[in-house]
Amino acid sequence: QNFISAREAGELWEVDGVTVARWCSDGRVPGAIKTRSQWLIPSNLSVNDVNRPKMGRPTKEQEKTR
């Protein structure tokens, strides 16, 4: 299987590489592997496969569950 770096994935997905690395450390990128100082992401993964956090302010219902 081929892998790309978090920076390369960020360029493909139009987000910052640091954001991709954070998603990897949060467990949101399936198949991501941590090597010494960088994350390797499967090259066949698309941004739609990533469990991205929802943007914006939490709803009142979401705040109740916190």
Side-chain angles (χ1 to χ4, degrees):
Q1 185 172 10
N2 294 329
F3 291 91
I4 57 175
S5 69
R7 179 183 296 165
E8 292 168 330
E11 290 173 6
L12 288 173
W13 300 343
E14 298 178 356
V15 295
D16 192 46
V18 174
T19 301
V20 175
R22 186 174 59 245
W23 291 345
C24 291
S25 66
D26 290 345
R28 296 178 178 274
V29 181
I33 300 171
K34 175 76 171 184
T35 62
R36 297 186 187 207
S37 63
Q38 74 174 8
W39 284 96
L40 298 177
I41 294 121
S43 59
N44 61 351
L45 208 62
S46 82
V47 71
N48 295 327
D49 298 326
V50 176
N51 182 17
R52 295 179 292 173
K54 304 292 184 228
M55 300 302 291
R57 186 175 180 167
T59 63
K60 290 182 181 182
E61 188 170 308
Q62 289 172 335
E63 288 183 357
K64 288 179 186 177
T65 60
R66 287 186 175 192

PDB file of all heavy atoms in Angstrom, residues 3-39:
ATOM      1  N   PHE A   3       1.649   5.287   0.718  1.00  0.00           N
ATOM      2  CA  PHE A   3       1.296   6.275   1.727  1.00  0.00           C
ATOM      3  C   PHE A   3       1.776   7.647   1.297  1.00  0.00           C
ATOM      4  O   PHE A   3       2.722   7.769   0.514  1.00  0.00           O
ATOM      5  CB  PHE A   3       1.947   5.923   3.073  1.00  0.00           C
ATOM      6  CG  PHE A   3       1.365   4.701   3.711  1.00  0.00           C
ATOM      7  CD1 PHE A   3       1.905   3.450   3.474  1.00  0.00           C
ATOM      8  CD2 PHE A   3       0.272   4.795   4.548  1.00  0.00           C
ATOM      9  CE1 PHE A   3       1.376   2.311   4.057  1.00  0.00           C
ATOM     10  CE2 PHE A   3      -0.270   3.673   5.143  1.00  0.00           C
ATOM     11  CZ  PHE A   3       0.276   2.426   4.897  1.00  0.00           C
ATOM     12  N   ILE A   4       1.111   8.675   1.817  1.00  0.00           N
ATOM     13  CA  ILE A   4       1.526  10.057   1.616  1.00  0.00           C
ATOM     14  C   ILE A   4       1.655  10.711   2.983  1.00  0.00           C
ATOM     15  O   ILE A   4       1.115  10.215   3.980  1.00  0.00           O
ATOM     16  CB  ILE A   4       0.529  10.836   0.732  1.00  0.00           C
ATOM     17  CG1 ILE A   4      -0.882  10.811   1.326  1.00  0.00           C
ATOM     18  CG2 ILE A   4       0.523  10.287  -0.686  1.00  0.00           C
ATOM     19  CD1 ILE A   4      -1.891  11.656   0.570  1.00  0.00           C
ATOM     20  N   SER A   5       2.356  11.820   3.042  1.00  0.00           N
ATOM     21  CA  SER A   5       2.551  12.523   4.311  1.00  0.00           C
ATOM     22  C   SER A   5       1.312  13.360   4.637  1.00  0.00           C
ATOM     23  O   SER A   5       0.443  13.586   3.781  1.00  0.00           O
ATOM     24  CB  SER A   5       3.770  13.433   4.226  1.00  0.00           C
ATOM     25  OG  SER A   5       3.516  14.507   3.340  1.00  0.00           O
ATOM     26  N   ALA A   6       1.247  13.831   5.867  1.00  0.00           N
ATOM     27  CA  ALA A   6       0.136  14.689   6.281  1.00  0.00           C
ATOM     28  C   ALA A   6       0.136  15.979   5.460  1.00  0.00           C
ATOM     29  O   ALA A   6      -0.926  16.489   5.098  1.00  0.00           O
ATOM     30  CB  ALA A   6       0.231  14.992   7.770  1.00  0.00           C
ATOM     31  N   ARG A   7       1.304  16.497   5.163  1.00  0.00           N
ATOM     32  CA  ARG A   7       1.392  17.714   4.353  1.00  0.00           C
ATOM     33  C   ARG A   7       0.824  17.483   2.955  1.00  0.00           C
ATOM     34  O   ARG A   7       0.055  18.296   2.433  1.00  0.00           O
ATOM     35  CB  ARG A   7       2.828  18.190   4.254  1.00  0.00           C
ATOM     36  CG  ARG A   7       2.976  19.446   3.410  1.00  0.00           C
ATOM     37  CD  ARG A   7       4.401  19.862   3.271  1.00  0.00           C
ATOM     38  NE  ARG A   7       4.942  20.224   4.577  1.00  0.00           N
ATOM     39  CZ  ARG A   7       6.235  20.353   4.817  1.00  0.00           C
ATOM     40  NH1 ARG A   7       7.121  20.152   3.866  1.00  0.00           N
ATOM     41  NH2 ARG A   7       6.648  20.681   6.015  1.00  0.00           N
ATOM     42  N   GLU A   8       1.193  16.345   2.341  1.00  0.00           N
ATOM     43  CA  GLU A   8       0.686  16.023   1.004  1.00  0.00           C
ATOM     44  C   GLU A   8      -0.833  15.799   1.028  1.00  0.00           C
ATOM     45  O   GLU A   8      -1.548  16.247   0.124  1.00  0.00           O
ATOM     46  CB  GLU A   8       1.385  14.786   0.457  1.00  0.00           C
ATOM     47  CG  GLU A   8       2.847  15.006   0.154  1.00  0.00           C
ATOM     48  CD  GLU A   8       3.602  13.714  -0.114  1.00  0.00           C
ATOM     49  OE1 GLU A   8       3.228  12.661   0.448  1.00  0.00           O
ATOM     50  OE2 GLU A   8       4.573  13.782  -0.879  1.00  0.00           O
ATOM     51  N   ALA A   9      -1.314  15.127   2.059  1.00  0.00           N
ATOM     52  CA  ALA A   9      -2.759  14.917   2.191  1.00  0.00           C
ATOM     53  C   ALA A   9      -3.467  16.257   2.364  1.00  0.00           C
ATOM     54  O   ALA A   9      -4.537  16.479   1.794  1.00  0.00           O
ATOM     55  CB  ALA A   9      -3.061  14.007   3.374  1.00  0.00           C
ATOM     56  N   GLY A  10      -2.859  17.159   3.133  1.00  0.00           N
ATOM     57  CA  GLY A  10      -3.440  18.480   3.315  1.00  0.00           C
ATOM     58  C   GLY A  10      -3.560  19.241   2.007  1.00  0.00           C
ATOM     59  O   GLY A  10      -4.566  19.915   1.759  1.00  0.00           O
ATOM     60  N   GLU A  11      -2.548  19.116   1.152  1.00  0.00           N
ATOM     61  CA  GLU A  11      -2.610  19.777  -0.154  1.00  0.00           C
ATOM     62  C   GLU A  11      -3.732  19.187  -1.008  1.00  0.00           C
ATOM     63  O   GLU A  11      -4.469  19.916  -1.665  1.00  0.00           O
ATOM     64  CB  GLU A  11      -1.276  19.639  -0.874  1.00  0.00           C
ATOM     65  CG  GLU A  11      -0.167  20.452  -0.256  1.00  0.00           C
ATOM     66  CD  GLU A  11       1.193  20.177  -0.872  1.00  0.00           C
ATOM     67  OE1 GLU A  11       1.270  19.426  -1.866  1.00  0.00           O
ATOM     68  OE2 GLU A  11       2.179  20.729  -0.349  1.00  0.00           O
ATOM     69  N   LEU A  12      -3.876  17.861  -0.983  1.00  0.00           N
ATOM     70  CA  LEU A  12      -4.940  17.212  -1.757  1.00  0.00           C
ATOM     71  C   LEU A  12      -6.324  17.571  -1.223  1.00  0.00           C
ATOM     72  O   LEU A  12      -7.264  17.753  -1.987  1.00  0.00           O
ATOM     73  CB  LEU A  12      -4.766  15.694  -1.719  1.00  0.00           C
ATOM     74  CG  LEU A  12      -3.622  15.110  -2.515  1.00  0.00           C
ATOM     75  CD1 LEU A  12      -3.490  13.621  -2.230  1.00  0.00           C
ATOM     76  CD2 LEU A  12      -3.829  15.345  -3.998  1.00  0.00           C
ATOM     77  N   TRP A  13      -6.442  17.622   0.098  1.00  0.00           N
ATOM     78  CA  TRP A  13      -7.734  17.840   0.741  1.00  0.00           C
ATOM     79  C   TRP A  13      -8.034  19.313   0.991  1.00  0.00           C
ATOM     80  O   TRP A  13      -9.080  19.656   1.548  1.00  0.00           O
ATOM     81  CB  TRP A  13      -7.805  17.080   2.055  1.00  0.00           C
ATOM     82  CG  TRP A  13      -7.645  15.594   1.923  1.00  0.00           C
ATOM     83  CD1 TRP A  13      -7.768  14.841   0.798  1.00  0.00           C
ATOM     84  CD2 TRP A  13      -7.326  14.682   2.974  1.00  0.00           C
ATOM     85  NE1 TRP A  13      -7.558  13.527   1.071  1.00  0.00           N
ATOM     86  CE2 TRP A  13      -7.276  13.387   2.393  1.00  0.00           C
ATOM     87  CE3 TRP A  13      -7.083  14.825   4.329  1.00  0.00           C
ATOM     88  CZ2 TRP A  13      -7.000  12.248   3.153  1.00  0.00           C
ATOM     89  CZ3 TRP A  13      -6.808  13.693   5.076  1.00  0.00           C
ATOM     90  CH2 TRP A  13      -6.767  12.419   4.491  1.00  0.00           C
ATOM     91  N   GLU A  14      -7.089  20.200   0.623  1.00  0.00           N
ATOM     92  CA  GLU A  14      -7.237  21.647   0.776  1.00  0.00           C
ATOM     93  C   GLU A  14      -7.437  22.069   2.236  1.00  0.00           C
ATOM     94  O   GLU A  14      -8.297  22.884   2.557  1.00  0.00           O
ATOM     95  CB  GLU A  14      -8.367  22.164  -0.110  1.00  0.00           C
ATOM     96  CG  GLU A  14      -8.111  21.923  -1.584  1.00  0.00           C
ATOM     97  CD  GLU A  14      -9.235  22.394  -2.482  1.00  0.00           C
ATOM     98  OE1 GLU A  14     -10.279  22.846  -1.972  1.00  0.00           O
ATOM     99  OE2 GLU A  14      -9.064  22.302  -3.703  1.00  0.00           O
ATOM    100  N   VAL A  15      -6.651  21.458   3.119  1.00  0.00           N
ATOM    101  CA  VAL A  15      -6.571  21.870   4.521  1.00  0.00           C
ATOM    102  C   VAL A  15      -5.091  21.911   4.892  1.00  0.00           C
ATOM    103  O   VAL A  15      -4.248  21.400   4.158  1.00  0.00           O
ATOM    104  CB  VAL A  15      -7.330  20.913   5.480  1.00  0.00           C
ATOM    105  CG1 VAL A  15      -8.806  20.935   5.209  1.00  0.00           C
ATOM    106  CG2 VAL A  15      -6.795  19.507   5.400  1.00  0.00           C
ATOM    107  N   ASP A  16      -4.767  22.486   6.029  1.00  0.00           N
ATOM    108  CA  ASP A  16      -3.383  22.580   6.460  1.00  0.00           C
ATOM    109  C   ASP A  16      -2.862  21.206   6.892  1.00  0.00           C
ATOM    110  O   ASP A  16      -3.614  20.397   7.453  1.00  0.00           O
ATOM    111  CB  ASP A  16      -3.292  23.568   7.621  1.00  0.00           C
ATOM    112  CG  ASP A  16      -1.868  23.942   7.952  1.00  0.00           C
ATOM    113  OD1 ASP A  16      -1.103  24.233   7.010  1.00  0.00           O
ATOM    114  OD2 ASP A  16      -1.520  23.931   9.141  1.00  0.00           O
ATOM    115  N   GLY A  17      -1.592  20.946   6.635  1.00  0.00           N
ATOM    116  CA  GLY A  17      -0.981  19.682   7.023  1.00  0.00           C
ATOM    117  C   GLY A  17      -1.030  19.452   8.523  1.00  0.00           C
ATOM    118  O   GLY A  17      -1.148  18.313   8.979  1.00  0.00           O
ATOM    119  N   VAL A  18      -0.942  20.522   9.300  1.00  0.00           N
ATOM    120  CA  VAL A  18      -1.027  20.414  10.765  1.00  0.00           C
ATOM    121  C   VAL A  18      -2.417  19.921  11.169  1.00  0.00           C
ATOM    122  O   VAL A  18      -2.565  19.123  12.100  1.00  0.00           O
ATOM    123  CB  VAL A  18      -0.695  21.771  11.421  1.00  0.00           C
ATOM    124  CG1 VAL A  18      -0.911  21.722  12.919  1.00  0.00           C
ATOM    125  CG2 VAL A  18       0.720  22.189  11.086  1.00  0.00           C
ATOM    126  N   THR A  19      -3.428  20.367  10.450  1.00  0.00           N
ATOM    127  CA  THR A  19      -4.792  19.913  10.728  1.00  0.00           C
ATOM    128  C   THR A  19      -4.917  18.421  10.457  1.00  0.00           C
ATOM    129  O   THR A  19      -5.501  17.680  11.252  1.00  0.00           O
ATOM    130  CB  THR A  19      -5.796  20.695   9.860  1.00  0.00           C
ATOM    131  OG1 THR A  19      -5.664  22.086  10.153  1.00  0.00           O
ATOM    132  CG2 THR A  19      -7.216  20.249  10.114  1.00  0.00           C
ATOM    133  N   VAL A  20      -4.335  17.962   9.355  1.00  0.00           N
ATOM    134  CA  VAL A  20      -4.369  16.533   9.034  1.00  0.00           C
ATOM    135  C   VAL A  20      -3.645  15.739  10.113  1.00  0.00           C
ATOM    136  O   VAL A  20      -4.140  14.701  10.571  1.00  0.00           O
ATOM    137  CB  VAL A  20      -3.742  16.259   7.647  1.00  0.00           C
ATOM    138  CG1 VAL A  20      -3.679  14.766   7.372  1.00  0.00           C
ATOM    139  CG2 VAL A  20      -4.528  16.963   6.554  1.00  0.00           C
ATOM    140  N   ALA A  21      -2.508  16.230  10.577  1.00  0.00           N
ATOM    141  CA  ALA A  21      -1.765  15.551  11.642  1.00  0.00           C
ATOM    142  C   ALA A  21      -2.586  15.492  12.928  1.00  0.00           C
ATOM    143  O   ALA A  21      -2.578  14.475  13.632  1.00  0.00           O
ATOM    144  CB  ALA A  21      -0.441  16.256  11.881  1.00  0.00           C
ATOM    145  N   ARG A  22      -3.312  16.544  13.226  1.00  0.00           N
ATOM    146  CA  ARG A  22      -4.162  16.560  14.426  1.00  0.00           C
ATOM    147  C   ARG A  22      -5.285  15.543  14.282  1.00  0.00           C
ATOM    148  O   ARG A  22      -5.613  14.826  15.225  1.00  0.00           O
ATOM    149  CB  ARG A  22      -4.717  17.965  14.670  1.00  0.00           C
ATOM    150  CG  ARG A  22      -5.475  18.075  15.984  1.00  0.00           C
ATOM    151  CD  ARG A  22      -5.916  19.486  16.323  1.00  0.00           C
ATOM    152  NE  ARG A  22      -6.789  20.030  15.295  1.00  0.00           N
ATOM    153  CZ  ARG A  22      -6.486  21.074  14.514  1.00  0.00           C
ATOM    154  NH1 ARG A  22      -5.337  21.681  14.634  1.00  0.00           N
ATOM    155  NH2 ARG A  22      -7.333  21.510  13.615  1.00  0.00           N
ATOM    156  N   TRP A  23      -5.895  15.473  13.087  1.00  0.00           N
ATOM    157  CA  TRP A  23      -6.936  14.474  12.858  1.00  0.00           C
ATOM    158  C   TRP A  23      -6.375  13.073  13.042  1.00  0.00           C
ATOM    159  O   TRP A  23      -7.038  12.205  13.608  1.00  0.00           O
ATOM    160  CB  TRP A  23      -7.517  14.610  11.459  1.00  0.00           C
ATOM    161  CG  TRP A  23      -8.334  15.851  11.221  1.00  0.00           C
ATOM    162  CD1 TRP A  23      -8.839  16.706  12.155  1.00  0.00           C
ATOM    163  CD2 TRP A  23      -8.750  16.366   9.958  1.00  0.00           C
ATOM    164  NE1 TRP A  23      -9.527  17.723  11.557  1.00  0.00           N
ATOM    165  CE2 TRP A  23      -9.495  17.541  10.207  1.00  0.00           C
ATOM    166  CE3 TRP A  23      -8.551  15.967   8.651  1.00  0.00           C
ATOM    167  CZ2 TRP A  23     -10.044  18.296   9.174  1.00  0.00           C
ATOM    168  CZ3 TRP A  23      -9.104  16.715   7.629  1.00  0.00           C
ATOM    169  CH2 TRP A  23      -9.843  17.866   7.883  1.00  0.00           C
ATOM    170  N   CYS A  24      -5.148  12.848  12.581  1.00  0.00           N
ATOM    171  CA  CYS A  24      -4.510  11.532  12.743  1.00  0.00           C
ATOM    172  C   CYS A  24      -4.315  11.206  14.218  1.00  0.00           C
ATOM    173  O   CYS A  24      -4.625  10.092  14.657  1.00  0.00           O
ATOM    174  CB  CYS A  24      -3.163  11.510  12.031  1.00  0.00           C
ATOM    175  SG  CYS A  24      -3.261  11.559  10.235  1.00  0.00           S
ATOM    176  N   SER A  25      -3.799  12.160  14.984  1.00  0.00           N
ATOM    177  CA  SER A  25      -3.553  11.894  16.410  1.00  0.00           C
ATOM    178  C   SER A  25      -4.851  11.717  17.187  1.00  0.00           C
ATOM    179  O   SER A  25      -4.871  11.035  18.206  1.00  0.00           O
ATOM    180  CB  SER A  25      -2.698  13.000  17.029  1.00  0.00           C
ATOM    181  OG  SER A  25      -3.391  14.216  17.042  1.00  0.00           O
ATOM    182  N   ASP A  26      -5.939  12.299  16.675  1.00  0.00           N
ATOM    183  CA  ASP A  26      -7.250  12.124  17.312  1.00  0.00           C
ATOM    184  C   ASP A  26      -7.932  10.826  16.878  1.00  0.00           C
ATOM    185  O   ASP A  26      -9.020  10.515  17.355  1.00  0.00           O
ATOM    186  CB  ASP A  26      -8.177  13.299  16.963  1.00  0.00           C
ATOM    187  CG  ASP A  26      -7.756  14.593  17.634  1.00  0.00           C
ATOM    188  OD1 ASP A  26      -6.941  14.543  18.570  1.00  0.00           O
ATOM    189  OD2 ASP A  26      -8.248  15.661  17.210  1.00  0.00           O
ATOM    190  N   GLY A  27      -7.310  10.093  15.943  1.00  0.00           N
ATOM    191  CA  GLY A  27      -7.884   8.836  15.481  1.00  0.00           C
ATOM    192  C   GLY A  27      -8.965   9.001  14.435  1.00  0.00           C
ATOM    193  O   GLY A  27      -9.756   8.089  14.207  1.00  0.00           O
ATOM    194  N   ARG A  28      -9.010  10.128  13.772  1.00  0.00           N
ATOM    195  CA  ARG A  28     -10.056  10.418  12.794  1.00  0.00           C
ATOM    196  C   ARG A  28      -9.714   9.951  11.381  1.00  0.00           C
ATOM    197  O   ARG A  28     -10.586   9.933  10.516  1.00  0.00           O
ATOM    198  CB  ARG A  28     -10.358  11.911  12.768  1.00  0.00           C
ATOM    199  CG  ARG A  28     -10.921  12.436  14.069  1.00  0.00           C
ATOM    200  CD  ARG A  28     -11.153  13.937  14.003  1.00  0.00           C
ATOM    201  NE  ARG A  28     -11.738  14.447  15.209  1.00  0.00           N
ATOM    202  CZ  ARG A  28     -13.046  14.461  15.458  1.00  0.00           C
ATOM    203  NH1 ARG A  28     -13.882  13.986  14.568  1.00  0.00           N
ATOM    204  NH2 ARG A  28     -13.500  14.941  16.581  1.00  0.00           N
ATOM    205  N   VAL A  29      -8.445   9.607  11.133  1.00  0.00           N
ATOM    206  CA  VAL A  29      -8.013   9.194   9.791  1.00  0.00           C
ATOM    207  C   VAL A  29      -7.749   7.688   9.809  1.00  0.00           C
ATOM    208  O   VAL A  29      -6.760   7.232  10.387  1.00  0.00           O
ATOM    209  CB  VAL A  29      -6.740   9.962   9.357  1.00  0.00           C
ATOM    210  CG1 VAL A  29      -6.325   9.554   7.962  1.00  0.00           C
ATOM    211  CG2 VAL A  29      -6.958  11.471   9.445  1.00  0.00           C
ATOM    212  N   PRO A  30      -8.630   6.905   9.190  1.00  0.00           N
ATOM    213  CA  PRO A  30      -8.446   5.449   9.214  1.00  0.00           C
ATOM    214  C   PRO A  30      -7.201   5.024   8.443  1.00  0.00           C
ATOM    215  O   PRO A  30      -6.935   5.520   7.354  1.00  0.00           O
ATOM    216  CB  PRO A  30      -9.718   4.915   8.553  1.00  0.00           C
ATOM    217  CG  PRO A  30     -10.319   6.053   7.816  1.00  0.00           C
ATOM    218  CD  PRO A  30      -9.828   7.305   8.453  1.00  0.00           C
ATOM    219  N   GLY A  31      -6.431   4.134   9.035  1.00  0.00           N
ATOM    220  CA  GLY A  31      -5.250   3.600   8.374  1.00  0.00           C
ATOM    221  C   GLY A  31      -4.000   4.448   8.508  1.00  0.00           C
ATOM    222  O   GLY A  31      -2.959   4.096   7.975  1.00  0.00           O
ATOM    223  N   ALA A  32      -4.086   5.583   9.222  1.00  0.00           N
ATOM    224  CA  ALA A  32      -2.913   6.445   9.397  1.00  0.00           C
ATOM    225  C   ALA A  32      -1.911   5.780  10.336  1.00  0.00           C
ATOM    226  O   ALA A  32      -2.285   5.153  11.322  1.00  0.00           O
ATOM    227  CB  ALA A  32      -3.326   7.803   9.950  1.00  0.00           C
ATOM    228  N   ILE A  33      -0.634   5.921  10.002  1.00  0.00           N
ATOM    229  CA  ILE A  33       0.444   5.312  10.783  1.00  0.00           C
ATOM    230  C   ILE A  33       1.409   6.396  11.228  1.00  0.00           C
ATOM    231  O   ILE A  33       1.835   7.224  10.419  1.00  0.00           O
ATOM    232  CB  ILE A  33       1.204   4.270   9.939  1.00  0.00           C
ATOM    233  CG1 ILE A  33       0.254   3.168   9.481  1.00  0.00           C
ATOM    234  CG2 ILE A  33       2.373   3.695  10.709  1.00  0.00           C
ATOM    235  CD1 ILE A  33       0.873   2.228   8.473  1.00  0.00           C
ATOM    236  N   LYS A  34       1.772   6.379  12.497  1.00  0.00           N
ATOM    237  CA  LYS A  34       2.743   7.338  13.029  1.00  0.00           C
ATOM    238  C   LYS A  34       4.137   6.739  12.922  1.00  0.00           C
ATOM    239  O   LYS A  34       4.397   5.653  13.420  1.00  0.00           O
ATOM    240  CB  LYS A  34       2.407   7.652  14.489  1.00  0.00           C
ATOM    241  CG  LYS A  34       3.390   8.535  15.193  1.00  0.00           C
ATOM    242  CD  LYS A  34       3.255   9.965  14.780  1.00  0.00           C
ATOM    243  CE  LYS A  34       4.119  10.827  15.697  1.00  0.00           C
ATOM    244  NZ  LYS A  34       3.992  12.218  15.439  1.00  0.00           N
ATOM    245  N   THR A  35       5.036   7.448  12.254  1.00  0.00           N
ATOM    246  CA  THR A  35       6.442   7.069  12.220  1.00  0.00           C
ATOM    247  C   THR A  35       7.200   8.182  12.901  1.00  0.00           C
ATOM    248  O   THR A  35       6.818   9.339  12.781  1.00  0.00           O
ATOM    249  CB  THR A  35       6.965   6.919  10.779  1.00  0.00           C
ATOM    250  OG1 THR A  35       6.862   8.163  10.121  1.00  0.00           O
ATOM    251  CG2 THR A  35       6.185   5.869  10.019  1.00  0.00           C
ATOM    252  N   ARG A  36       8.202   7.872  13.604  1.00  0.00           N
ATOM    253  CA  ARG A  36       8.998   8.823  14.381  1.00  0.00           C
ATOM    254  C   ARG A  36       8.403  10.217  14.518  1.00  0.00           C
ATOM    255  O   ARG A  36       7.919  10.587  15.548  1.00  0.00           O
ATOM    256  CB  ARG A  36      10.402   8.919  13.819  1.00  0.00           C
ATOM    257  CG  ARG A  36      11.136   7.621  13.922  1.00  0.00           C
ATOM    258  CD  ARG A  36      12.541   7.764  13.514  1.00  0.00           C
ATOM    259  NE  ARG A  36      13.157   6.446  13.485  1.00  0.00           N
ATOM    260  CZ  ARG A  36      14.429   6.261  13.662  1.00  0.00           C
ATOM    261  NH1 ARG A  36      15.227   7.276  13.853  1.00  0.00           N
ATOM    262  NH2 ARG A  36      14.905   5.041  13.626  1.00  0.00           N
ATOM    263  N   SER A  37       8.435  11.011  13.440  1.00  0.00           N
ATOM    264  CA  SER A  37       7.975  12.388  13.579  1.00  0.00           C
ATOM    265  C   SER A  37       6.930  12.793  12.555  1.00  0.00           C
ATOM    266  O   SER A  37       6.600  13.968  12.449  1.00  0.00           O
ATOM    267  CB  SER A  37       9.168  13.336  13.461  1.00  0.00           C
ATOM    268  OG  SER A  37       9.744  13.225  12.175  1.00  0.00           O
ATOM    269  N   GLN A  38       6.407  11.832  11.792  1.00  0.00           N
ATOM    270  CA  GLN A  38       5.386  12.224  10.821  1.00  0.00           C
ATOM    271  C   GLN A  38       4.311  11.156  10.699  1.00  0.00           C
ATOM    272  O   GLN A  38       4.510  10.005  11.065  1.00  0.00           O
ATOM    273  CB  GLN A  38       5.999  12.510   9.458  1.00  0.00           C
ATOM    274  CG  GLN A  38       6.438  11.308   8.674  1.00  0.00           C
ATOM    275  CD  GLN A  38       6.910  11.696   7.276  1.00  0.00           C
ATOM    276  OE1 GLN A  38       7.049  12.868   6.961  1.00  0.00           O
ATOM    277  NE2 GLN A  38       7.176  10.716   6.451  1.00  0.00           N
ATOM    278  N   TRP A  39       3.170  11.567  10.185  1.00  0.00           N
ATOM    279  CA  TRP A  39       2.062  10.660   9.946  1.00  0.00           C
ATOM    280  C   TRP A  39       2.069  10.230   8.493  1.00  0.00           C
ATOM    281  O   TRP A  39       2.292  11.048   7.600  1.00  0.00           O
ATOM    282  CB  TRP A  39       0.737  11.358  10.256  1.00  0.00           C
ATOM    283  CG  TRP A  39       0.473  11.464  11.715  1.00  0.00           C
ATOM    284  CD1 TRP A  39       0.739  12.536  12.517  1.00  0.00           C
ATOM    285  CD2 TRP A  39      -0.089  10.470  12.560  1.00  0.00           C
ATOM    286  NE1 TRP A  39       0.369  12.255  13.792  1.00  0.00           N
ATOM    287  CE2 TRP A  39      -0.147  11.003  13.852  1.00  0.00           C
ATOM    288  CE3 TRP A  39      -0.562   9.186  12.339  1.00  0.00           C
ATOM    289  CZ2 TRP A  39      -0.658  10.274  14.928  1.00  0.00           C
ATOM    290  CZ3 TRP A  39      -1.070   8.476  13.413  1.00  0.00           C
ATOM    291  CH2 TRP A  39      -1.115   9.014  14.695  1.00  0.00           C
TER     292      TRP A  39
END
